[in-house]
């Protein structure tokens, strides 16, 4: 089996969504929190090759969000979209 993490985008979100009730003092030394209380998180999907077949696990936010939804997530693709990164791996 081969496991590959495929970049699918980057978002800026409220850390409360990621860390819940964990006190900010426990994570702020590891993650940069902006003045507007947002942090960057990279999104990845898992690609598995087994017995000559590819299995894609979790496609993330995808690339079909409208501009309002992209704005809510502050979604960007600094390392390319899922489709672009699958193409680099010769996976359709």
């Amino acid at each position: 089996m081969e496991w590959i993490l495929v970049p699918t985008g980057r978002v800026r979100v409220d850390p409360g969504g990621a860390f819940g009730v964990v006190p900010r003092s426990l994570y702020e030394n590891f993650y940069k929190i902006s003045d507007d209380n947002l942090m960057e998180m990279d999104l990845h999907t898992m690609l598995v090759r087994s017995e000559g077949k590819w299995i894609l696990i979790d496609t993330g936010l995808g690339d079909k969000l409208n501009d309002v939804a992209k704005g809510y997530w502050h979604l960007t693709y600094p390392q390319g979209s899922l489709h672009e990164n699958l193409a680099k791996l010769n996976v359709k």
Side-chain angles (χ1 to χ4, degrees):
M1 250 185 199
E2 179 182 4
W3 300 75
I4 302 169
L5 283 178
V6 181
T8 60
R10 179 175 292 156
V11 293
R12 291 182 65 235
V13 296
D14 186 308
F19 296 110
V21 298
V22 175
R24 183 175 177 152
S25 61
L26 293 179
Y27 61 78
E28 68 183 347
N29 291 329
F30 301 98
Y31 298 94
K32 183 179 186 295
I33 309 301
S34 66
D35 291 338
D36 55 353
N37 196 40
L38 297 176
M39 64 179 277
E40 286 189 346
M41 294 181 72
D42 287 329
L43 306 175
H44 293 84
T45 189
M46 178 70 69
L47 182 64
V48 179
R49 183 173 174 90
S50 178
E51 298 179 14
K53 296 180 182 177
W54 290 105
I55 303 163
L56 185 63
I57 302 170
D58 184 9
T59 58
L61 292 173
D63 60 359
K64 295 181 180 164
L65 295 179
N66 63 32
D67 290 338
V68 172
K70 285 181 187 176
Y72 174 75
W73 286 100
H74 306 274
L75 178 62
T76 60
Y77 302 97
Q79 295 177 295
S81 69
L82 172 62
H83 292 126
E84 292 167 342
N85 287 313
L86 290 177
K88 290 175 189 175
L89 296 167
N90 295 319
V91 176
K92 294 182 181 180

